[in-house]
Amino acid sequence: MNGAVLVPLPVLLPLVGAGVTLAAARHTLVQRGVSLTVLISNLVISAMLLGAADRGGPQVVQSGGWGPTEGISLVVDRLSALMLIVSSVVILGVLLYSIGQGRSSFDTEDDGEAPLPIFHPTLLVLAAGVSTTFISGDLFHMYVGFEMLLAASFVLLTLGGTAERVRAGISYAYVSLLSSLLFLASIAFVYAATGTVNLALLSERIPELPEGTRLALHASLILAFCIKAAVFPMSGWLPDSYPTAPAPVTAVFAGLLTKVGIYAIIRTNTLLFTDGRLNTVLLWAALLTMLVGILGAIAQDDIKRMLSFTLVSHIGYMVFGIGVGSVAGYSAAIFYVIHHIAIQTTLFLVTGLIERYGGSTSLARLGGLGAAAPLLGILYFIPALNLAGIPPFSGFIGKVGLMQAGADLGTPLAYLLIAGAAATSLLTLYPMSRVWTRAFWRSEPEEVAAHHAAAEQGSDKPLSIGVVAPTMGLVIIGCLITVVAGPLFAITDRAATDLVSTVPYVGAVLSQQATP
């Protein structure tokens, strides 16, 4: 089968599924069946697209039969396919977790018997927005994907309608709208300067612009994407927004939304602005993001807020690889993105299990979980070590790849980044081990025991197979990334080589002509 035929499906299937699940709002089983079918299909299609892109180069579709000059290009190369696969996996895991909850954690205090009907269509719209961003071959279509994400994420963030969630949702919406406004203005500037928004055409026209114009366009786009990716100093919004949402929502946000911004930065730096003039700025931003984020995590007493700060911190590792600007740097950054999406999603789902069992995510109110729920301890312990970069896990492998890329660069700033990355990795151990010692090792407080006993007497078991199995599945996937790190790094190396070259991407798009 021609791989190009499959390119639009990761967007079309979730949108069709969203319509069906919205129409079936009163039929929970239908919603679940449609959502599972769509996401499993997306995963299979994404794997097929990776095979096609790895064997035959970027897969391109010109929507409506128009050529790249007039129409919208949809492109799946190795990078796009890898991002589609990992996003499909984590969204599927989050969906299974939400189904397994039994009762709704999205309602207020009413303890509804099922998740809110709007959850399934909104999650599928989110999946469509993520896929749209990853396969877009022009800046404006990428902007459309960002806006789909914004609309869906605002709904998910405010599910249940509590004052805390609405307040966090409004703050999140303000920041997201600001970055969207900057992105849209940047697109207008790019179009005014070049006469196109197609990425392949821009890669040929932007180098012909005056140096000052190129720098201004690059800076405006990077600023918009850094806000979305929560790069310091544009990261203050994230720890205040994510912890208020239900566990499945927080997990998918933490895993995916900031990585969409990282993906956009990679595309911008490799296709449009290849002179590397902002690489030094990115390296300083990476260092500050790592250190400020992890210092914020150390100061937290709530697991959700602590993980939110570690999320910010580890965004710095990805920006580190991008700022290096070499094949090795981009390869390690892509590998670390894949690793971090899986591990961060897993840790937030585990935090949801801790909250279900102990009734809180505050370390001051938790204890005894290791003895009372040893499986829960294992589910936390493995991804926590992985996030901290303990050998031989994928977090360690990714960080070593980034440090090697920095050493190859050989500048004083690169060596400073290596030291900062090593210090951040060691400091990450502190908040992760503090959760372990306080929530799992120390004796169980009476309120935890009372909450567990009350939950066990009800119909909604706190650690039922429906929520434990998806979480365990993601823990296993995190371990599998370690097992297949060699072949995965080989694919990211090939992806990074094509990104730096730009020839495969540009050639595949510009060879497509309009259908007569």
Side-chain angles (χ1 to χ4, degrees):
M1 178 186 291
N2 182 7
V5 176
L6 303 174
V7 171
L9 295 183
V11 176
L12 292 177
L13 289 180
L15 289 178
V16 172
V20 174
T21 53
L22 186 61
R26 297 181 180 274
H27 305 280
T28 302
L29 291 179
V30 174
Q31 285 192 321
R32 292 176 177 178
V34 171
S35 298
L36 287 172
T37 301
V38 167
L39 293 178
I40 292 172
S41 299
N42 258 18
L43 178 57
V44 173
I45 290 168
S46 300
M48 294 172 67
L49 283 170
L50 176 60
D54 198 33
R55 291 190 307 269
Q59 305 296 301
V60 182
V61 168
Q62 301 293 345
S63 60
W66 294 95
T69 306
E70 305 87 3
I72 296 174
S73 300
L74 305 178
V75 189
V76 174
D77 59 359
R78 292 185 181 96
L79 173 60
S80 301
L82 285 170
M83 298 301 291
L84 287 172
I85 289 174
V86 70
S87 63
S88 298
V89 168
V90 299
I91 294 175
L92 179 60
V94 166
L95 175 65
L96 290 171
Y97 182 99
S98 68
I99 291 173
Q101 286 182 131
R103 68 173 178 82
S104 173
S105 69
F106 308 107
D107 291 329
T108 53
E109 302 299 325
D110 298 331
D111 286 347
E113 294 299 326
L116 293 177
I118 197 65
F119 173 73
H120 288 273
T122 308
L123 185 66
L124 291 177
V125 170
L126 182 100
V130 170
S131 298
T132 298
T133 304
F134 291 154
I135 71 174
S136 294
D138 68 81
L139 285 175
F140 187 77
H141 196 225
M142 187 181 292
Y143 168 79
V144 172
F146 273 76
E147 292 310 290
M148 292 168 66
L149 282 173
L150 171 60
S153 57
F154 179 76
V155 174
L156 290 172
L157 193 61
T158 56
L159 284 176
T162 64
E164 185 181 20
R165 290 179 184 175
V166 171
R167 186 162 48 248
I170 291 173
S171 300
Y172 170 79
Y174 279 143
V175 173
S176 297
L177 287 172
L178 174 61
S179 63
S180 296
L181 180 62
L182 288 172
F183 188 14
L184 187 60
S186 301
I187 293 172
F189 297 151
V190 169
Y191 185 79
T194 63
T196 185
V197 292
N198 184 280
L199 294 176
L201 290 172
L202 286 172
S203 71
E204 296 184 337
R205 298 183 185 181
I206 283 181
E208 300 173 357
L209 296 175
E211 185 175 327
T213 303
R214 291 202 309 269
L215 181 60
L217 294 177
H218 192 187
S220 62
L221 284 170
I222 288 293
L223 180 60
F225 297 148
C226 283
I227 295 175
K228 292 185 179 294
V231 176
F232 183 83
M234 290 82 70
S235 57
W237 59 269
L238 191 151
D240 291 329
S241 300
Y242 285 11
T244 62
V249 175
T250 307
V252 76
F253 279 21
L256 285 180
L257 295 196
T258 52
K259 312 312 184 301
V260 173
I262 293 294
Y263 171 85
I265 295 173
I266 292 175
R267 281 290 181 213
T268 300
N269 273 28
T270 56
L271 267 179
L272 308 187
F273 306 97
T274 58
D275 54 11
R277 292 195 62 190
L278 291 182
N279 283 359
T280 299
V281 175
L282 289 174
L283 289 175
W284 279 112
L287 179 62
L288 292 172
T289 302
M290 284 190 284
L291 295 178
V292 172
I294 199 58
L295 291 176
I298 290 172
Q300 303 307 310
D301 194 55
D302 182 89
I303 302 176
K304 286 184 178 180
R305 285 188 61 83
M306 182 271 291
L307 288 176
S308 297
F309 275 99
T310 63
L311 168 59
V312 172
S313 176
H314 287 252
I315 290 295
Y317 285 98
M318 305 165 206
V319 178
F320 177 16
I322 297 170
V324 169
S326 64
V327 170
Y330 283 117
S331 177
I334 296 168
F335 181 92
Y336 204 84
V337 167
I338 295 168
H339 146 81
H340 196 259
I341 288 174
I343 299 306
Q344 199 76 42
T345 303
T346 304
L347 282 169
F348 270 101
L349 289 185
V350 172
T351 302
L353 296 182
I354 292 173
E355 187 172 21
R356 286 170 62 85
Y357 188 94
S360 175
T361 56
S362 172
L363 293 178
R365 301 173 60 186
L366 290 171
L369 298 182
L375 178 59
L376 183 56
I378 295 172
L379 293 179
Y380 171 80
F381 188 72
I382 294 175
L385 291 181
N386 204 336
L387 184 70
I390 300 300
F393 289 109
S394 56
F396 172 77
I397 297 170
K399 289 170 185 174
V400 168
L402 290 166
M403 293 179 186
Q404 182 62 54
D408 292 341
L409 183 61
T411 64
L413 180 55
Y415 286 118
L416 181 60
L417 260 294
I418 293 172
T424 300
S425 186
L426 291 173
L427 289 172
T428 302
L429 273 174
Y430 176 73
M432 305 308 291
S433 61
R434 189 153 60 95
V435 172
W436 179 258
T437 55
R438 297 184 66 179
F440 290 91
W441 270 9
R442 71 176 179 177
S443 59
E444 185 177 46
E446 292 184 3
E447 56 187 296
V448 174
H451 182 275
H452 177 223
E456 286 292 344
Q457 292 175 2
S459 59
D460 182 31
K461 304 300 180 184
L463 298 182
S464 65
I465 187 66
V467 290
V468 170
T471 309
M472 185 181 298
L474 286 177
V475 171
I476 293 172
I477 289 171
C479 295
L480 286 177
I481 294 175
T482 303
V483 174
V484 301
L488 180 57
F489 244 123
I491 295 176
T492 61
D493 283 343
R494 294 195 292 272
T497 300
D498 287 351
L499 286 172
V500 173
S501 168
T502 73
V503 172
Y505 188 101
V506 175
V509 174
L510 297 186
S511 65
Q512 300 287 317
Q513 301 298 324
T515 303

